[in-house]
C-alpha cells in the first residue's frame, strides 16, 4: 500500500510539473512568433530581430548555471515558480504603448523571458530524475521523452497561437491574454507543488557548477552544436524567408511552424518506441551518433536543391519536415542521456550545466541566423547547420568513452 501511495504521489507531481512546463512553453512559443512577425511588420531587419533575442539566449547561458546551483540549495519547486513569475513580468513589460517598444526595452523583456524559460526547463527535467527509481532506465527514457516531446508539441501550438492572436487581437491584446492565463497557472503551482525536491543534502559551493564529469562535458558540447545547427536557420531566417520569399501570411507562417513543432514533439515522445524496446535502456552516445549523421545531410541537400533551382516551396518545406523528424529523435536521445548520466545527489547542477550548453548553442544559432541570412541568404544558414551537426556527431562518440573512463576510476577507488 505504501508503494502504491508513493507511486500515486509521484505521478501527481509529475503531471503538475508537466502542466507547468506545458503552460509556460505555450506562452514562450507564442511570444517568440509574436515578436518575430510583429517587428518584421514594423520594418525591422532580420539582424535587428535576431538582436531582440540576443539577451534571451545570453541570459539562458548564465541562468542554467546559477539556477542549477540555486535549485540544489533551495529546492526545484521554488525555482520553477520563480520562472513562472518572471515570465508573467516579461509579458507585462511588453504591454506598454508601441512607441515605447524600442530594441533595448524588448531585449530587456526577452532577457527576463529567457531567464524564466531556463529556470522552468531545468527544474522540470531535474524533477524527473528524482521521481523515477534509479534502476528503471526504460521508464526514465519514456518519461523524459514524453515531457520533452509534449513540451515541443505545445510550443508548436504556441507558434500558431502567436500568429493567430496577432491577427485577431493585435500585439498588446495577445500579450495581455497570455499574461493572465499564466498568472492562474502560477497560483496553482504555488499551492500544489511539493517543496524541497532537488534540494541537495550538502549545500553545494558556487564553484561546483563547473565541476562536471567528462561524459557530461562531451554531451553538453554536442548539445551546443546540435541546437546551434537548428536555430541558425530556424529562429529568424526561416520565418522571414517564408514571409518575404514565399509571401506567406502571418497566420500561415505561425500555423506552419505550429504543425512542424507539433510533429517534432510527437516524434520525440515516440522515440523510445522508434528505437525499439530492447534499445531503450541501452541508448548511448553511439545511438546519438547514428541519428546525427543522416540529420547532417538534410540541410546540405536543401541548400543543394535551392542552388539548382528545385521547386522552392517543396524543397524547403519538405526538407524541413525530414529535418524535424530526425532532429526530434536525436534531441530526445540527448535529453534522456543527460538525465541518465546526471548525479542523483546533484542532479540540478548537472542538468543545469547541460542546458547552459544548450542555451549557448541557441545564442550562437540566433545571432548567425540573423547575420548570415541578411548577408548571404538561407543557403549559407543551411550549410552552417549541416557543419554544426557533423561536429555534434563526432562529439557524441566521445560520450561513451568518457563514461567508461569514469566507471573505471570509480571501481579502482
Amino acid at each position: 500500500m505504501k508503494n502504491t501511495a508513493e507511486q500515486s504521489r509521484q505521478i501527481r507531481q509529475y503531471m503538475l510539473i508537466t502542466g507547468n512546463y506545458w503552460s509556460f512553453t505555450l506562452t514562450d512559443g507564442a511570444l517568440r512568433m509574436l515578436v518575430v512577425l510583429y517587428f518584421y511588420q514594423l520594418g525591422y531587419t532580420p539582424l535587428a530581430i535576431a538582436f531582440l533575442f540576443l539577451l534571451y539566449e545570453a541570459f539562458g547561458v548564465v541562468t542554467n548555471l546559477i539556477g542549477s546551483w540555486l535549485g540544489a540549495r533551495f529546492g526545484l519547486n521554488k525555482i520553477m515558480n520563480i520562472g513562472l513569475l518572471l515570465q508573467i513580468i516579461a509579458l507585462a513589460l511588453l504591454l506598454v504603448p508601441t512607441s515605447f517598444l524600442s530594441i533595448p526595452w524588448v531585449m530587456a523583456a526577452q532577457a527576463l523571458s529567457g531567464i524564466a524559460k531556463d529556470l522552468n526547463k531545468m527544474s522540470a527535467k531535474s524533477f524527473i530524475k528524482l521521481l523515477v527509481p534509479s534502476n528503471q532506465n526504460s521508464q526514465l527514457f519514456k518519461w523524459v521523452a514524453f515531457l520533452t516531446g509534449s513540451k515541443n508539441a505545445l510550443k508548436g501550438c504556441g507558434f500558431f497561437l502567436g500568429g493567430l492572436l496577432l491577427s485577431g487581437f493585435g500585439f498588446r491584446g495577445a500579450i495581455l491574454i497570455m499574461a493572465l492565463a499564466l498568472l492562474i497557472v502560477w497560483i496553482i503551482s504555488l499551492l500544489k507543488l511539493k517543496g524541497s525536491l532537488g534540494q541537495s543534502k550538502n549545500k553545494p559551493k558556487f564553484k561546483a557548477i563547473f565541476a562536471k564529469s567528462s561524459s557530461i562535458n562531451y554531451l553538453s558540447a554536442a548539445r551546443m552544436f546540435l541546437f546551434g545547427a537548428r536555430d541558425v536557420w530556424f529562429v529568424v531566417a526561416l520565418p522571414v524567408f517564408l514571409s518575404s520569399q514565399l509571401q506567406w501570411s502571418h497566420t500561415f507562417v505561425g500555423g506552419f511552424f505550429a504543425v512542424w513543432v507539433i510533429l517534432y514533439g510527437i516524434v520525440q515522445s515516440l522515440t523510445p518506441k522508434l528505437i525499439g524496446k530492447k534499445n531503450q535502456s541501452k541508448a548511448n552516445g553511439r545511438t546519438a551518433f547514428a541519428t546525427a549523421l543522416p540529420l547532417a545531410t538534410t540541410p546540405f541537400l536543401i541548400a543543394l536543391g535551392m542552388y539548382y533551382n528545385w521547386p522552392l516551396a517543396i524543397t524547403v518545406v519538405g526538407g524541413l519536415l525530414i529535418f524535424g523528424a530526425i532532429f526530434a529523435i536525436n534531441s530526445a536521445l540527448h535529453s534522456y542521456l543527460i538525465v541518465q548520466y546526471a548525479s542523483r545527489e546533484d542532479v540540478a547542477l548537472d542538468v543545469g550545466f547541460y542546458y547552459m550548453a544548450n542555451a549557448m548553442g541557441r545564442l550562437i544559432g540566433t545571432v548567425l541566423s540573423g547575420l548570415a541570412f541578411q548577408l548571404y541568404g538561407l543557403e549559407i544558414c543551411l550549410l552552417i547547420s549541416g557543419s554544426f551537426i557533423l561536429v555534434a556527431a563526432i562529439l557524441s562518440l566521445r560520450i561513451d568513452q568518457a563514461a567508461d573512463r569514469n566507471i573505471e576510476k570509480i571501481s579502482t577507488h
Side-chain angles (χ1 to χ4, degrees), residues 88 105 112 118 141 152 168 179 241 248 298 336 350 367 385 393 395:
I88 295 168
W105 184 270
L112 271 184
D118 284 295
F141 197 171
N152 282 308
F241 178 85
W248 287 7
T298 309
Y336 162 70
D350 287 340
V367 174
S385 175
L395 289 168

Side-chain angles (χ1 to χ4, degrees), residues 39 44 48-49 51-56 59 90 93-94 96 98-112:
F39 284 91
Y44 282 58
I49 294 172
F51 271 100
L52 294 177
F53 296 105
L54 186 63
L55 290 183
Y56 175 96
F59 272 81
L93 287 175
L94 295 175
V96 299
T98 304
S99 58
F100 285 90
L101 291 176
S102 62
I103 289 181
W105 184 270
V106 177
M107 287 179 71
Q110 288 287 39
L112 271 184

